[in-house]
Amino acid sequence: LRQIEERDKPKDDSRTPFEAAAYPDVGARVRLQGLKAKPELNGASGVVVAAFAPSSGRCGVRVDDGGGSFKFKPSNLVPLASSGDATTELVSALRALEEQGGAEEEQEDDPTAKDPKEYVNYLEAVGDARLRLGQFHKAGNIYYRVYYVTLAVFGSSNASAGFPVAHKMIQAWIRSGNSGGLDMALGMAQQMCMIPYGDQAPAPAYVRQDLTDAQSALGQLQGGAPV
């Protein structure tokens, strides 16, 4: 598991923390679904040949049997092998969390019993596994816990340490598509944008984008313009 100190370091492929946790890596096998422009490819399988690009919002996929290479939204890709892998990751993370004195359904986290950083790492790993299983609202709720335990570990004066996991929390709630999750996503995004970053600079770009995404998603759910 990655160390908590490395969470706010930029990824080599420039993905945000949520993208790295949720989107398929190059080489992953996927099945295509929900395509409207190319409905004939629905149900076809392929391999990811280009990682998620924030500029286009798509991943590159080479379709099997000479079907060609295209760019698709992550929502149109169903991992073929990762469901079992994510379940294995979940079981492993839950076991490790229990060894640190925690549990997935904990009402109040107390990471002081053993190693606080390990507690946070394993709790976040549970959230990541839930995310890969498509359990977005549950993943968001776990990331919410991780965020506040992170503040407890590092101190509220270092609130920017929670930016990466807050980003994953907000995006997971957005992808849940339900009004309760979207309301929480908007509230947390507004809160994150008020936290100083570095030498009083604005929050990272992906955090500011979270606010725009939450406003847009909530507006669409309500059938109107972004809130």
Side-chain angles (χ1 to χ4, degrees):
L1 292 172
R2 58 197 177 283
Q3 295 299 310
I4 188 171
E5 295 92 340
E6 298 178 348
R7 287 188 187 150
D8 56 353
K9 292 182 180 179
K11 307 293 182 182
D12 291 341
D13 57 11
S14 300
R15 293 182 296 178
T16 70
F18 176 80
E19 293 161 2
Y23 300 156
D25 292 324
V26 172
R29 291 198 53 76
V30 296
R31 185 178 70 251
L32 304 177
Q33 67 170 14
L35 297 173
K36 296 181 179 178
K38 294 183 177 295
E40 68 277 9
L41 293 180
N42 284 324
S45 57
V47 61
V48 176
V49 294
F52 176 83
S55 58
S56 66
R58 288 166 168 77
C59 303
V61 176
R62 184 176 64 243
V63 182
D64 290 344
D65 301 322
S69 295
F70 306 92
K71 294 181 179 179
F72 299 110
K73 294 180 180 179
S75 59
N76 296 125
L77 308 179
V78 179
L80 288 179
S82 65
S83 178
D85 294 342
T87 299
T88 300
E89 291 174 11
L90 177 62
V91 171
S92 177
L94 287 171
R95 184 181 300 114
L97 181 62
E98 290 175 359
E99 291 175 356
Q100 290 293 324
E104 184 175 14
E105 303 300 330
E106 200 80 63
Q107 295 299 313
E108 292 189 14
D109 293 289
D110 179 17
T112 61
K114 293 187 178 180
D115 187 327
K117 293 179 182 179
E118 287 299 294
Y119 184 100
V120 173
N121 280 333
Y122 292 132
L123 184 59
E124 184 171 0
V126 172
D128 288 346
R130 291 294 183 193
L131 186 70
R132 294 189 183 101
L133 289 168
Q135 299 168 359
F136 300 119
H137 192 82
K138 181 170 285 189
N141 291 347
I142 294 172
Y143 290 141
Y144 179 83
R145 290 168 55 194
V146 175
Y147 174 75
Y148 281 103
V149 177
T150 298
L151 295 189
V153 171
F154 285 96
S156 57
S157 61
N158 192 22
S160 63
F163 278 144
V165 73
H167 165 65
K168 290 200 287 186
M169 166 183 59
I170 292 165
Q171 289 294 334
W173 278 335
I174 289 173
R175 291 189 71 178
S176 74
N178 67 67
S179 59
L182 290 175
D183 284 337
M184 290 187 288
L186 179 60
M188 286 301 299
Q190 292 170 331
Q191 179 178 325
M192 290 299 101
C193 287
M194 296 173 64
I195 296 175
Y197 180 60
D199 295 328
Q200 304 300 311
Y206 65 77
V207 172
R208 300 194 300 275
Q209 184 62 43
D210 288 338
L211 178 58
T212 299
D213 291 346
Q215 290 171 329
S216 176
L218 193 57
Q220 291 176 14
L221 184 68
Q222 295 172 347
V227 296

